[in-house]
Amino acid sequence: LRVRKNLRMCGLATLAALATLSLPSPRDPPHGLWINRRTLLSHGAAASVLLPLRKAPAAAPAAAGAGVAVYEIASAALDRRSYRGLRLANGLQVLLASDPAAGKAAAAMNVAVGSMSNPEAWQGLAHFCEHMLFLGTASYPDEGDFESYIASNGGSNNAYTDSEETVYFFDVGAGALPGALARFSDFFAAPLFTESATAREVAAIESEHSKNIQSDGWRTEQLLRATRGVSGHPYNGFFTGNRATLRDGGGGARAALLDFYGEYYRADQMDLSLLGPQSLDELQRLATEQFSRLPSRPGPPQPLSLMSPFVVHRLALVHRLLLIRPFIPGTRLPCQRRAAMSPPIAIPIGPPASAKYDPLGLPLSPDQGGGLGSGAVASPFATLVVPVREQRAVSATWCLPVADFDTWLACKPQVALSQLLTARADGSLLSLLKRKGLGTAIEVGVEEQTRSFAVVTASLALTEAGLAAWPTAMGHLFSYLRLCREKGVPSHVFDDAKALAQLGFRYAEPSQPQAFVTATAASMPLYRPAAWLSGPSLLEGAGGPPTLRQLLGGMTPRAAMVEVCAKEVAPKAPLSEQIYGTRYGRQPIEGEVAAWEAAPLLPELSLPRPNPFIPKRLAIKAPQTLPRKEGVPSPTPSLLPAADGARVHFLPDRTFGRPRAFAYFLWRSPEFYTSARTAVTAELFAGMLAEVLQEATYEAAQAGLVAASGVSSDAFTVQLGGYDERLPALATLVASTVRSFEPTQAAFERKVDILRRQLRDAERRQPISLAGYRRGLALQPARFSNEQLAAAAGEVSLSDVAAMQEGVLREAQLEAFVAGNLRENEAAEMVRGVRAALPAAPLAAERLPIRRLRRLPPGGATRQFLAGNPEEPNGALEMYLQVGPDEGDDWLHLLLLSQMIDKAVYAELRTKQQLGYIVQCGSTEADGVRGLVFIVQSSVQPPPELEARLEAFLRLFRGTLLLTSDEELDTYRESLAAQMQDVDQRADGQASRLWAEVATRRYDFGRPWRSSKRMRRVTRDGLIGFYDKYIAAGGAGRCRLSTHVFSQRSPPKGPLRDDPLPDAFFPPTADGFGVDWAADRAVV
């Protein structure tokens, strides 16, 4: 939840939580009508009456039908998709997106109710309702029908419950969209909420809660509510729920679900986003046919008079918002004209979910006693928190009123706030904390946003010295905030942010269908229809400076809720939070708060300068002569001349038409992984280099230029991307820094401390992650364990890092790939600049690093371990069935089977048997060797029993294969074939795919299209033969490695198994350079 909120609130193209316009007290609505923000902006009052937004006659929609309003949507000029907005007669808002190049269709429904609407007696009910909608409807009563239909048509689905919204989403093969929508719409028209499913699914809620118990994010968020929450505010409830709060699915649980659904799940409080390759008219027909039947509760629609004084006043405000808008270059704006007033329109009337808590005021307060009793007031105190994972941090959280939510949405002050506080350049807060040895990172985010309040957090990651002096580190934070308030944030901060947001929107590439519909459905309630796409991305209006001033004005020391999170505070943490069991304590900080309030301005701190890296030259350098076509392979890179055995691949953009480019450099070398000590030294060197580059390239990163470097067991890599104007200079800067930066003792100590804590944390991960890690060690014996690396970290010194820097890449094999909006001579010059800055002699072929994977013998082996966290309630099973290299059609059979098995095993082990919240099946690849992996994490059964249940499922699944109809098999086959060639939708995605072929030395650039053709030739006999050989128990080629991770609370009765594995290995992956992959070869 916290991560999701931060993702939405802190970026330029992010989303806020659902909100409505501030109204008089909802206990006494004007004229007896409930009018929320979306009513004013969407339900005819503003958009269809004052500004009827229609397509031009050439693109006129099909007949809308009675009571259906149609809106035009502003979009970027380069956007290949076309859009249309609807409001159906029942009040449902719909965004349609037609993308002829899309390989999949997708839909998402946002219901404007979330966990803040949980009844006090039924904590977690909104989340429980979300789960239940997947378990059968009137027209499709089988609990697994929707999942099965989506899976068989190459799709996926999920949902999430947030504080004020619940969002359901799926993607599916384009041809299966009508059937998917028929099933999906029934979620919101006629769910069954059967007694049996209600009683059973509460176990899934309990398993999900069990998964979260040892997650610091969930723990600290609930602790904040417990210690700072205002009594009676629903924000401070238990959002996800568990078996106890939902009364084990009995005690009236079904009746509570029906009441909740009946009160809040109504069409006028829903927003649907729908994308597919179908035309807008066809998408509109599907949406209207399937969703017009959704009820609009409570009661029938009632006429809303647009002449009432209250509505006239609100419409005047909205009218100004709609008509006074700056022109944005590269944007298709809807026509703006005034239409004659229409007769009163029918708008479904009913109180929004937020009406019950909007008047309650702020939910959090620094003056709350936090367990001292209702209404108790405490002097300032810091909450001392003992985390599960290794961390040291101090944070300040403010709960602030939002005076003008619409202005906040338009100008997004959190963007400027984040840029100010997280800056890495000289004069920044982070630069000062690092120089003084106090901190290593800063995070700033809006944790929660509603129409009436915002929860803002600034968190400082501390060094060991910083933890001991955390009040000093916080003093520097408050000094910087004071600097912003007293000196004023320079206007160029807002101007730069606006300019970059406009560039980002103008040159944005289409996101994946499911990501698009999920994001737009979540943002639709916040904006008028014309701004459904542009609103979340752009920074508009003149409200930025005053809104940020208001925000900064509230971020004072006395208003802050301070939290210190570190294992070292355990002796001062005698208390325990009741839901997650988080240990915590309180430390009075009256003296510290007084000192922070008087903190002087520090001469080392300064406000940022104008960004010199904002691109100015955005010309497209090559004619766009190769538009992407379905089923037609993309162009492939050519080889540029290069000396000393280097390979330089180049692909100019003739498809996407964006002023961006990408450059990848890889130096293969054996020097990074010769021992655990060498591996640790390389990791520290890479971390210190990254820290230097972050500061040196910070302004470039803010302006859309990304640079990253890193080491692996066999190579050093540099990756760059962004607007092409300054990319060559950035590449040279990064390459020259590798050998020129000065490793300091302070930086070394920071990185060693971080690495040690990361290695300790690795053993406290969730059991399912530990199982995957243990499999990796078993199959890759050259890999060093966490214990080996931790021991080596105690031996490495700064001189080791300096020696590695001095000798790094003296001999290496260079491979580079440059793509995008660059001419051939520019690409060649960039590579020459990098090679001059970081010269390397050719590496002899016999010295090239080789990675080998262990070959499992036929039969099976089991290895057992204990979870590293003694408080972890879950155990885990991972069953890995090794298949082998890409030979014949085995890879295709493996993909098809994993697609068919995944949803079936989920339905059986998770939904029916309720073994655990995490149940998955999927294909995997390591060093060119493929396999099938099953994972189950459970708190109700030990790993050996989980494996027995999985084996029983697999014995029965062969019969499922035999009974699968030809039509079903064709559906699976066609959906996978379509997915295989549904690539290169974006320039960055194409560059990443082609680079993967280069980095793995496969160079099979046309593989997706050839594999797609071969998938269509896979037969039932071949599939069953593959299953019998590799998957079925007793199969001649079945090579099983089972990894069991036991909870320390439920260890095995006997000793842990550690079956030996033979020292047999697959041959290393061959170099595919020069292979004629165009032929339909046996090896893919």
Side-chain angles (χ1 to χ4, degrees):
L1 180 64
R2 175 166 294 189
V3 171
R4 188 161 64 243
K5 283 291 180 187
N6 282 336
L7 288 174
R8 287 191 194 161
M9 296 304 302
C10 293
L12 295 180
T14 53
L15 306 172
L18 177 67
T20 61
L21 198 65
S22 299
L23 299 175
S25 171
R27 294 191 178 91
D28 187 21
H31 307 287
L33 302 178
W34 293 98
I35 306 173
N36 63 13
R37 185 173 187 276
R38 58 170 288 172
T39 299
L40 289 172
L41 295 183
S42 310
H43 284 176
S48 65
V49 177
L50 296 176
L51 293 173
L53 307 176
R54 303 285 181 175
K55 289 284 187 182
V68 177
V70 182
Y71 312 114
E72 189 174 344
I73 310 297
S75 60
L78 294 176
D79 195 339
R80 72 176 187 228
R81 293 168 174 166
S82 53
Y83 303 95
R84 183 181 298 164
L86 306 175
R87 179 187 53 79
L88 304 187
N90 58 6
L92 176 70
Q93 292 192 144
V94 184
L95 171 62
L96 307 175
S98 175
D99 183 357
K104 282 187 175 183
M109 180 72 86
N110 177 6
V111 185
V113 64
S115 296
M116 284 176 67
S117 296
N118 284 333
E120 186 174 353
W122 291 94
Q123 294 295 293
L125 190 66
H127 180 212
F128 192 23
C129 183
E130 170 223 307
H131 277 233
M132 292 299 301
L133 260 62
F134 287 88
L135 300 180
T137 64
S139 300
Y140 303 93
D142 290 347
E143 290 183 10
D145 182 88
F146 180 73
E147 298 266 357
S148 176
Y149 183 86
I150 296 295
S152 64
N153 286 282
S156 61
N157 65 91
N158 213 326
Y160 66 82
T161 303
D162 216 327
S163 54
E164 293 195 293
E165 65 189 0
T166 306
V167 180
Y168 304 80
F169 50 91
F170 71 86
D171 62 14
V172 73
L177 180 61
L181 288 178
R183 291 163 172 80
F184 191 57
S185 63
D186 227 32
F187 280 24
F188 312 102
L192 293 181
F193 295 110
T194 64
E195 291 279 7
S196 60
T198 300
R200 196 179 339 107
E201 191 62 18
V202 76
I205 299 292
E206 177 68 19
S207 294
E208 186 172 355
H209 173 61
S210 174
K211 173 184 69 70
N212 298 335
I213 284 177
Q214 294 299 304
S215 167
D216 283 320
W218 291 100
R219 293 163 71 90
T220 56
E221 186 166 25
Q222 194 66 38
L223 181 62
L224 178 68
R225 293 170 173 146
T227 56
R228 308 287 187 167
V230 175
S231 178
H233 199 291
Y235 181 71
N236 300 314
F238 177 23
F239 278 11
T240 59
N242 61 12
R243 188 185 295 276
T245 65
L246 297 172
R247 306 180 194 179
D248 209 19
R254 184 172 185 269
L257 284 167
L258 291 170
D259 288 345
F260 183 88
Y261 179 87
E263 182 174 1
Y264 297 118
Y265 275 63
R266 58 180 194 265
D268 61 301
Q269 295 297 304
M270 297 182 186
D271 296 87
L272 173 70
S273 182
L274 179 58
L275 180 148
Q278 295 86 348
S279 69
L280 286 174
D281 287 349
E282 175 61 14
L283 292 172
Q284 179 171 326
R285 183 188 66 79
L286 290 171
T288 305
E289 284 182 358
Q290 296 298 340
F291 293 92
S292 291
R293 64 194 177 101
L294 269 58
S296 186
R297 307 177 183 90
Q302 309 215 358
L304 168 64
S305 171
L306 297 180
M307 295 298 102
S308 69
F310 173 77
V311 175
V312 168
H313 171 69
R314 290 294 180 179
L315 289 183
L317 297 177
V318 175
H319 192 195
R320 290 199 297 274
L321 175 67
L322 294 175
L323 290 181
I324 305 174
R325 288 171 55 83
F327 174 71
I328 301 167
T331 303
R332 296 198 299 260
L333 287 179
C335 60
Q336 296 185 350
R337 60 185 179 86
R338 186 186 298 273
M341 296 298 287
S342 302
I345 57 175
I347 298 178
I349 303 304
S354 60
K356 294 185 177 180
Y357 51 78
D358 273 346
L360 298 180
L362 299 181
L364 303 172
S365 170
D367 297 328
Q368 285 299 115
L372 298 179
S374 178
V377 177
S379 59
F381 66 91
T383 305
L384 308 180
V385 186
V386 181
V388 174
R389 306 288 292 272
E390 292 282 346
Q391 58 176 296
R392 299 189 201 100
V394 60
S395 64
T397 297
W398 296 268
C399 186
L400 304 171
V402 175
D404 186 341
F405 184 70
D406 289 319
T407 298
W408 182 299
L409 281 180
C411 68
K412 303 174 181 63
Q414 72 273 15
V415 174
L417 177 68
S418 179
Q419 290 178 353
L420 289 167
L421 294 183
T422 64
R424 297 189 180 97
D426 190 44
S428 67
L429 174 60
L430 180 57
S431 179
L432 175 62
L433 292 174
K434 286 184 176 180
R435 283 202 306 273
K436 292 193 172 184
L438 299 175
T440 61
I442 300 175
E443 293 183 1
V444 178
V446 176
E447 309 286 349
E448 185 65 70
Q449 173 79 70
T450 75
R451 68 204 56 75
S452 58
F453 70 87
V455 179
V456 182
T457 295
S459 179
L460 313 180
L462 302 174
T463 62
E464 188 172 2
L467 178 63
W470 67 262
T472 301
M474 288 298 285
H476 293 344
L477 169 65
F478 287 117
S479 181
Y480 194 83
L481 290 172
R482 180 181 174 186
L483 173 67
C484 294
R485 285 193 295 268
E486 294 187 3
K487 299 295 184 181
V489 178
S491 60
H492 62 255
V493 171
F494 302 97
D495 295 339
D496 288 353
K498 280 187 176 182
L500 290 170
Q502 290 179 0
L503 284 172
F505 182 70
R506 180 180 182 181
Y507 294 111
E509 295 193 80
S511 56
Q512 291 294 326
Q514 188 180 99
F516 172 84
V517 297
T518 306
T520 51
S523 66
M524 284 168 65
L526 305 175
Y527 299 93
R528 59 191 176 89
W532 279 346
L533 300 179
S534 61
S537 299
L538 299 177
L539 279 64
E540 300 181 286
T547 305
L548 183 58
R549 280 197 299 271
Q550 291 176 359
L551 188 58
L552 290 169
M555 296 174 68
T556 64
R558 198 157 294 276
M561 295 169 278
V562 178
E563 176 184 283
V564 181
C565 187
K567 288 186 175 294
E568 289 88 338
V569 305
K572 301 178 182 179
L575 305 174
S576 179
E577 190 272 327
Q578 63 178 358
I579 295 176
Y580 290 90
T582 307
R583 289 180 57 195
Y584 72 99
R586 297 188 188 90
Q587 177 176 322
I589 55 171
E590 179 63 53
E592 287 83 353
V593 169
W596 296 336
E597 289 176 324
L601 297 182
L602 300 176
E604 302 97 328
L605 296 176
S606 61
L607 295 169
R609 65 172 182 167
N611 193 326
F613 286 89
I614 296 178
K616 307 296 183 184
R617 295 192 295 271
L618 300 165
I620 303 304
K621 299 173 181 177
Q624 303 300 290
T625 57
L626 297 173
R628 185 182 180 279
K629 296 180 181 179
E630 183 179 358
V632 178
S634 298
T636 59
S638 59
L639 202 63
L640 299 184
D644 299 329
R647 296 171 182 169
V648 180
H649 310 264
F650 173 60
L651 180 65
D653 173 34
R654 294 190 174 89
T655 302
F656 302 100
R658 265 66 170 184
R660 295 193 181 99
F662 310 91
Y664 304 84
F665 299 88
L666 180 149
W667 289 266
R668 295 189 181 93
S669 170
E671 63 189 83
F672 301 119
Y673 214 69
T674 56
S675 67
R677 181 167 179 160
T678 304
V680 168
T681 304
E683 181 70 22
L684 295 173
F685 165 72
M688 295 168 72
L689 172 62
E691 188 173 273
V692 171
L693 289 174
Q694 283 177 352
E695 186 164 328
T697 65
Y698 172 73
E699 291 174 320
Q702 293 296 105
L705 281 168
V706 178
S709 64
V711 294
S712 64
S713 62
D714 56 0
F716 175 77
T717 58
V718 171
Q719 301 185 18
L720 309 111
Y723 296 107
D724 60 89
E725 180 185 2
R726 305 289 290 274
L727 194 68
L730 181 65
T732 301
L733 170 64
V734 171
S736 62
T737 304
V738 172
R739 289 185 182 148
S740 65
F741 83 93
E742 181 181 356
T744 66
Q745 186 66 34
F748 173 79
E749 291 174 0
R750 278 198 304 272
K751 292 304 175 183
V752 169
D753 176 60
I754 291 172
L755 179 60
R756 284 173 169 170
R757 288 188 286 131
Q758 287 175 339
L759 290 170
R760 288 196 297 268
D761 258 350
E763 296 299 322
R764 301 176 71 88
R765 289 175 292 179
Q766 287 206 24
I768 205 63
S769 298
L770 287 173
Y773 158 71
R774 291 295 177 181
R775 167 171 53 93
L777 289 180
L779 297 179
Q780 298 168 308
R783 181 174 170 182
F784 299 112
S785 69
N786 293 329
E787 294 85 355
Q788 290 172 306
L789 295 174
E795 303 170 356
V796 175
S797 66
L798 178 62
S799 60
D800 292 321
V801 175
M804 174 165 283
Q805 181 190 28
E806 174 65 24
V808 70
L809 303 181
R810 296 303 179 185
E811 293 182 347
Q813 183 192 69
L814 172 64
E815 191 120 34
F817 172 48
V818 181
N821 191 43
L822 291 170
R823 300 182 180 92
E824 182 175 318
N825 65 307
E826 294 173 321
E829 183 62 29
M830 181 194 300
V831 175
R832 281 195 293 270
V834 168
R835 297 191 72 181
L838 192 55
L843 182 70
E846 62 271 14
R847 295 195 61 222
L848 278 172
I850 295 175
R851 296 171 58 173
R852 300 189 304 168
L853 195 83
R854 190 187 301 273
R855 184 194 293 270
L856 297 177
T862 299
R863 296 162 68 86
Q864 297 180 331
F865 306 89
L866 289 177
N869 180 2
E871 302 301 319
E872 175 60 60
N874 293 284
L877 159 74
E878 184 195 89
M879 182 193 287
Y880 168 73
L881 301 177
Q882 191 176 75
V883 174
D886 294 338
E887 296 177 354
D889 287 334
D890 281 351
W891 167 228
L892 305 175
H893 290 135
L894 180 62
L895 271 181
L896 186 54
L897 268 176
S898 67
Q899 184 90 351
M900 298 176 73
I901 292 175
D902 183 40
K903 293 303 179 184
V905 72
Y906 179 89
E908 177 62 30
L909 300 190
R910 190 275 194 192
T911 304
K912 292 182 180 178
Q913 298 188 33
Q914 290 292 338
L915 293 181
Y917 184 71
I918 299 176
V919 177
Q920 293 175 3
C921 165
S923 57
T924 184
E925 177 187 5
D927 297 331
V929 177
R930 310 283 187 175
L932 188 67
V933 175
F934 297 89
I935 60 174
V936 185
Q937 182 167 290
S938 175
S939 61
V940 298
Q941 293 292 346
E945 179 61 22
L946 298 177
E947 183 166 359
R949 303 279 187 99
L950 176 58
E951 291 283 22
F953 163 82
L954 289 175
R955 285 194 295 273
L956 295 174
F957 188 76
R958 189 181 191 280
T960 302
L961 278 179
L962 292 172
L963 295 174
T964 300
S965 68
D966 292 339
E967 181 181 5
E968 286 179 283
L969 188 59
D970 285 342
T971 299
Y972 275 110
R973 206 162 31 206
E974 288 300 315
S975 66
L976 268 176
Q979 286 181 61
M980 285 177 165
Q981 63 183 29
D982 184 26
V983 295
D984 299 354
Q985 294 276 359
R986 299 161 51 104
D988 55 358
Q990 181 188 71
S992 178
R993 179 184 70 83
L994 296 175
W995 173 241
E997 294 291 331
V998 172
T1000 57
R1001 301 194 304 164
R1002 191 163 42 196
Y1003 311 102
D1004 185 7
F1005 302 119
R1007 189 161 58 111
W1009 294 271
R1010 205 174 57 258
S1011 296
S1012 177
K1013 291 180 181 178
R1014 293 179 61 195
M1015 175 59 74
R1016 290 185 169 96
R1017 300 200 297 263
V1018 169
T1019 65
R1020 179 193 302 273
D1021 289 344
L1023 188 64
I1024 293 176
F1026 176 88
Y1027 183 87
D1028 288 342
K1029 180 178 180 181
Y1030 293 109
I1031 311 301
R1038 193 189 207 226
C1039 304
R1040 174 186 59 81
L1041 174 62
S1042 295
T1043 306
H1044 298 172
V1045 177
F1046 289 85
S1047 167
Q1048 291 191 33
R1049 297 179 179 181
S1050 305
K1053 294 181 180 179
L1056 295 171
R1057 286 182 61 177
D1058 188 8
D1059 294 348
L1061 298 174
D1063 285 330
F1065 300 91
F1066 289 97
T1069 304
D1071 189 341
F1073 188 74
V1075 173
D1076 180 15
W1077 291 108
D1080 190 8
R1081 300 171 58 86
V1083 178
V1084 180

